[in-house]
Amino acid sequence: MTILNKPFDTKYNSAPFSKLKNEDFLPAFKIAIEKAKAEIDTITNNSEKPSFENTIEALDYSGEELDRLSSIFFNLNSAETNDEIQKIAQEVSPLLSEFSNDITLNEDLFKRVKAVYESKPDLDLTTEQETLLDKKYKGFSRNGANLPDDKKEKLRAIDKELSQLKLKFGEHILAETNKFEMHLTSESDLAGLPDGAKEAAKQLAESKGKDGWLITLDYPSYIPFMTYADSRALREKLSKAFGRKGFQNDDLDNQDIVLKIANLRFQRAQLLGYKTHAHFVLEERMAETPEKVNTFLNELLDKAKPAAKEEFEKLEDFAKGLDGIDQLQKWDSAYYAEKLKQKLFDLDDEQLKPYFKLENVINGAFIVANKLFGLHFEEINTIDKYHKDVLTYKVTDSEGELVSIFYADFFPRAGKRNGAWMTSYKPQMIKNGVNKRPHVSIVCNFTKPTKSKPSLLTFNEVTTLFHEFGHALHGMLANTTYPSLSGTSVYWDFVELPSQILENWCYEEETLKLFATHYETGEVIPMELIEKIKASSTFHEGMQTLRQLSFGLLDMSWHGIDPTHITDVKAHEVEAFGETKLYPEVAENCMSTAFSHIFQGGYSSGYYSYKWAEVLDADAFEYFKQEGIFNKTVADKFKTYVLSQGGTENPMTLYKKFRGQEPKPEALLRRAGLLK
């Protein structure tokens, strides 16, 4: 019995990170799986007639220890990993996959679930209970419970292999990211870079015992270099290094893994009676079918493409006029776009960054949450952290009642994957009359403080923080009975609404004046800069939309068809990008081999959902704008019908309860400046 298999003797029942040892994880998982199996046996061996309470409810509350352990371990594997943890993950994933299959392919358990499901008309269930019953039944039927034994075994084998391949994919990308370093010893190579970026590069070199400057593929290093460095040759070198992750025909190559994952997902869907993986996935989404997704993406493409082409031609003309560039390449994109933006709006990120000190932006997010939802955030140091950089907060409501524990982890390090995400260490649920509150975390990769400057965020990083904080609010304000319907446990094309809507507050003068103050003088951000932020918010919106659509179309090209004929990952990708291509193809680069969202994360057949949710968030924010961005009535409705409800009801029903109507895409097109 390890510390992980007992109730935590900690404040707020928080994870005891300081007491965790890597060698405890594997035995802890084995014990927790056995305990969870015993809980399942209790349900299946119950001699009483199957009921909602003794079967469906009991099933949802089962495995609590295992779920908690999994969330702690796999969150560490994303944010604070090492070779040992990655090795354990490779051992644990098949065990969890096997256990999951043991449940969904348990005939006695399914018989009980099916009996309750078939008696649904005679049961007096709440909406939430009805949703849970449907979800539990589909959890079996969509995972092979109705299959004959030989096909069930095949399904088990596929799931086991997929769980290992997805981990391997992610490990390769992290290793590639950590492996590459561009070591510069001549200051002239850094021409154009802002002082903060130069200082960070020098500090990174010093930390590794090197002279000069180090540039890496971590976003806070990569993005400033691609945006500001005058050396076209070095931008090309860095861009190609970034673009060839998993595509170098070496031991970190992901091409075979991509083909295997796509084919295994297709085989799995076929086994279950679906045409493709996308048909399987989208049955449980607002979009419902691949045909609807492709229509949605292509309709937006029709609107965005003319604008994108016009923007691209203007960028080409600008680069030619400025530096005689005859053919714009991908490594020129951010550099000349930034210069053009400066010319058109007299605005660049370096002007804005002094007003966005990280601590002030965090405080700004807290103020917005307080004004909208009455939440209070108090930093506490009485609970364990998994790394010294992590900040911990106690979140309470206007009555002083505990709402959530909140972890925030903002800086890059070797054991942490790139990007930004929200996650949970403990779910919310109401059990035995007690409302158990959630422990929620956001993880980002922002520029670290240097010797002379605090962490100053680009405006894009400000919106990223608000985005992830929006997800966190969805987790924190959860108020449902059953854990599997709580917080962000909603349809994937609905889950981005709370995150994306919060970004809108970053563009509002009323919000910015609350927290955007100069880190040295304390001066509030000038009105003139706010106007420029708003004016530039639709800059290159056509090209940005085209880029997002290209990722959605690439995802559907892998998952919405029979992939068995695909033998060349790169050739397939080039074809999928055909309608959205602006820049010349880079032969040595490939997106698919590093497309973690769809090959490692949960976005397969779901990348379109970012755009789908933009339609929702633009429409929802128009409602706030109409009544006032801090209007209490609208905020209360959003909290009541969206943030607190989790997946207890169909998302379109919840949205209409909040908004009074279905969302209209015109709001998004208006905001993007694409409605002529």
Side-chain angles (χ1 to χ4, degrees):
M1 183 81 77
T2 75
I3 185 175
L4 289 156
N5 300 111
K6 293 181 278 203
F8 299 150
D9 184 20
T10 53
K11 197 153 190 175
Y12 309 111
N13 192 17
S14 58
F17 293 113
S18 64
K19 297 184 178 69
L20 302 184
K21 298 187 183 79
N22 285 349
E23 62 265 27
D24 286 342
F25 281 115
L26 190 56
F29 269 109
K30 288 178 177 172
I31 292 166
I33 286 170
E34 286 311 311
K35 284 187 181 178
K37 279 181 177 173
E39 290 173 23
I40 298 298
D41 289 344
T42 303
I43 298 169
T44 52
N45 297 335
N46 191 334
S47 57
E48 290 176 22
K49 184 182 168 209
S51 69
F52 180 83
E53 288 72 19
N54 71 21
T55 302
I56 307 302
E57 195 174 81
L59 188 54
D60 206 54
Y61 287 135
S62 71
E64 194 178 336
E65 183 182 295
L66 180 60
D67 290 344
R68 186 92 201 267
L69 170 58
S70 296
S71 66
I72 291 169
F73 175 75
F74 286 102
N75 284 334
L76 289 176
N77 191 37
S78 292
E80 185 59 13
T81 197
N82 52 44
D83 291 346
E84 198 180 349
I85 285 180
Q86 289 182 349
K87 185 171 174 292
I88 297 164
Q90 283 289 352
E91 291 180 72
V92 162
S93 288
L95 297 180
L96 291 172
S97 179
E98 191 70 16
F99 170 66
S100 174
N101 284 143
D102 281 344
I103 293 178
T104 52
L105 301 178
N106 181 325
E107 286 181 26
D108 292 335
L109 182 59
F110 181 50
K111 274 180 197 158
R112 291 185 69 87
V113 170
K114 199 171 183 176
V116 180
Y117 184 74
E118 286 171 350
S119 66
K120 186 162 71 166
D122 306 322
L123 305 173
D124 186 20
L125 300 179
T126 65
T127 303
E128 182 176 355
Q129 287 173 330
E130 211 167 297
T131 303
L132 184 69
L133 177 53
D134 285 346
K135 185 172 181 171
K136 289 299 174 203
Y137 177 75
K138 283 181 181 170
F140 284 88
S141 64
R142 284 169 53 82
N143 285 292
N146 289 317
L147 292 178
D149 287 348
D150 59 329
K151 289 188 174 176
K152 281 181 181 172
E153 284 312 306
K154 194 171 180 194
L155 192 75
R156 278 179 184 271
I158 288 173
D159 285 346
K160 192 171 181 178
E161 193 177 353
L162 274 172
S163 72
Q164 289 169 307
L165 287 169
K166 283 158 70 179
L167 276 173
K168 186 62 74 183
F169 182 97
E171 285 169 15
H172 286 178
I173 298 306
L174 183 62
E176 288 266 43
T177 304
N178 288 336
K179 188 172 75 167
F180 177 85
E181 289 177 348
M182 190 161 77
H183 185 204
L184 305 175
T185 50
S186 166
E187 190 153 7
S188 61
D189 286 338
L190 288 97
L193 274 192
D195 290 343
K198 283 187 195 171
E199 191 181 356
K202 191 163 194 60
Q203 222 165 282
L204 186 60
E206 282 170 8
S207 74
K208 300 203 173 185
K210 294 183 178 180
D211 294 331
W213 301 265
L214 268 189
I215 305 296
T216 71
L217 300 181
D218 284 323
Y219 288 144
S221 178
Y222 174 78
I223 287 173
F225 199 90
M226 294 307 298
T227 308
Y228 296 107
D230 293 333
S231 169
R232 195 181 188 206
L234 288 176
R235 289 200 315 271
E236 178 179 353
K237 181 182 177 182
L238 190 63
S239 171
K240 285 182 172 175
F242 192 88
R244 64 170 173 256
K245 286 184 285 189
F247 188 62
Q248 299 188 70
N249 295 309
D250 57 7
D251 57 348
L252 298 175
D253 194 273
N254 275 342
Q255 291 173 83
D256 277 349
I257 292 178
V258 164
L259 291 173
K260 278 181 186 164
I261 289 175
N263 277 284
L264 285 169
R265 284 172 171 165
F266 175 70
Q267 286 171 33
R268 190 181 193 282
Q270 292 259 298
L271 259 184
L272 293 166
Y274 294 87
K275 191 176 171 187
T276 67
H277 178 66
H279 285 84
F280 169 75
V281 169
L282 293 165
E283 184 182 71
E284 294 281 87
R285 301 286 187 267
M286 290 176 85
E288 296 171 337
T289 65
E291 292 73 24
K292 260 196 186 177
V293 170
N294 285 319
T295 300
F296 170 74
L297 293 173
N298 285 307
E299 280 177 0
L300 278 179
L301 182 61
D302 288 345
K303 296 277 195 305
K305 199 170 178 176
K309 280 188 158 175
E310 193 181 318
E311 290 164 3
F312 185 70
E313 283 160 15
K314 284 180 180 170
L315 190 63
E316 276 189 312
D317 292 344
F318 175 72
K320 188 165 187 155
L322 194 67
D323 290 329
I325 303 288
D326 281 325
Q327 174 65 70
L328 262 192
Q329 300 286 351
K330 286 181 180 174
W331 44 89
D332 299 319
S333 169
Y335 179 77
Y336 287 106
E338 183 62 25
K339 288 211 168 341
L340 179 58
K341 192 164 104 177
Q342 285 178 33
K343 184 187 170 194
L344 292 176
F345 304 102
D346 186 24
L347 179 74
D348 74 81
D349 264 328
E350 291 307 302
Q351 273 175 280
L352 296 175
K353 279 169 76 173
Y355 296 96
F356 295 123
K357 180 179 162 185
L358 173 61
E359 290 78 359
N360 292 350
V361 180
I362 297 166
N363 192 41
F366 292 168
I367 293 169
V368 169
N370 175 260
K371 288 174 82 74
L372 289 171
F373 311 119
L375 297 178
H376 300 267
F377 292 78
E378 178 197 345
E379 189 171 358
I380 54 171
N381 290 301
T382 51
I383 62 171
D384 273 3
K385 307 173 180 196
Y386 55 87
H387 189 275
K388 63 180 173 54
D389 288 348
V390 177
L391 303 171
T392 44
Y393 299 88
K394 174 185 172 185
V395 188
T396 53
D397 62 17
S398 51
E399 309 290 310
E401 292 295 320
L402 182 71
V403 170
S404 175
I405 294 298
F406 177 52
Y407 299 84
D409 178 1
F410 289 118
F411 304 123
R413 50 183 178 267
K416 185 176 179 182
R417 68 177 167 88
N418 251 329
W421 62 96
M422 167 267 179
T423 186
S424 157
Y425 283 98
K426 178 176 172 289
Q428 179 272 332
M429 70 181 92
I430 298 170
K431 190 175 178 186
N432 301 326
V434 178
N435 195 329
K436 299 186 173 192
R437 299 312 302 165
H439 295 187
V440 170
S441 170
I442 60 171
V443 187
C444 304
N445 281 278
F446 296 148
T447 308
K448 289 183 87 155
T450 61
K451 286 168 188 164
S452 67
K453 283 194 179 85
S455 175
L456 301 175
L457 305 191
T458 64
F459 189 69
N460 187 44
E461 288 175 325
V462 173
T463 59
T464 296
L465 192 151
F466 269 68
H467 178 102
E468 298 308 331
F469 188 65
H471 280 310
L473 289 172
H474 200 185
M476 287 180 211
L477 290 167
N479 196 27
T480 62
T481 304
Y482 303 110
S484 72
L485 300 178
S486 181
T488 54
S489 302
V490 299
Y491 283 3
W492 276 83
D493 44 10
F494 192 60
V495 79
E496 294 297 331
L497 167 59
S499 53
Q500 288 179 190
I501 193 172
L502 209 69
E503 292 181 41
N504 289 282
W505 273 264
C506 300
Y507 295 89
E508 297 296 321
E509 180 190 354
E510 207 178 330
T511 312
L512 290 169
K513 287 193 163 176
L514 296 170
F515 71 89
T517 55
H518 196 285
Y519 79 100
E520 287 175 317
T521 65
E523 172 208 11
V524 173
I525 190 167
M527 188 61 213
E528 169 200 3
L529 279 183
I530 294 175
E531 288 302 327
K532 286 177 183 179
I533 289 171
K534 290 182 96 154
S536 65
S537 67
T538 59
F539 176 68
H540 282 181
E541 189 62 48
M543 283 163 68
Q544 292 294 348
T545 301
L546 207 66
R547 182 173 177 269
Q548 283 286 91
L549 294 174
S550 74
F551 296 165
L553 290 164
L554 178 62
D555 172 25
M556 293 307 288
S557 80
W558 281 111
H559 297 116
I561 61 164
D562 172 353
T564 51
H565 66 281
I566 305 169
T567 53
D568 185 326
V569 172
K570 173 72 175 179
H572 172 73
E573 178 173 301
V574 169
E575 190 183 337
F577 282 156
E579 285 298 306
T580 56
K581 183 183 167 194
L582 292 172
Y583 291 92
E585 196 49 57
V586 183
E588 54 268 68
N589 284 182
C590 185
M591 161 93 186
S592 298
T593 55
F595 200 173
S596 300
H597 268 76
I598 68 168
F599 290 115
Q600 183 193 2
Y603 277 86
S604 63
S605 308
Y607 203 88
Y608 77 90
S609 61
Y610 283 104
K611 273 287 163 224
W612 185 277
E614 274 187 49
V615 170
L616 296 175
D617 96 68
D619 185 71
F621 193 65
E622 275 200 353
Y623 187 21
F624 273 100
K625 289 275 284 184
Q626 201 178 297
E627 305 297 328
I629 63 166
F630 290 112
N631 181 279
K632 208 72 188 102
T633 308
V634 181
D636 283 347
K637 283 173 78 174
F638 193 69
K639 178 179 169 183
T640 303
Y641 296 120
V642 177
L643 296 178
S644 69
Q645 290 300 305
T648 57
E649 209 169 340
N650 183 290
M652 189 58 86
T653 306
L654 291 173
Y655 187 84
K656 286 197 289 192
K657 282 183 179 178
F658 155 68
R659 185 69 169 99
Q661 62 186 44
E662 287 201 5
K664 297 187 172 81
E666 286 75 19
L668 170 63
L669 297 169
R670 260 194 300 278
R671 185 176 70 187
L674 298 174
L675 206 59
K676 295 285 183 260

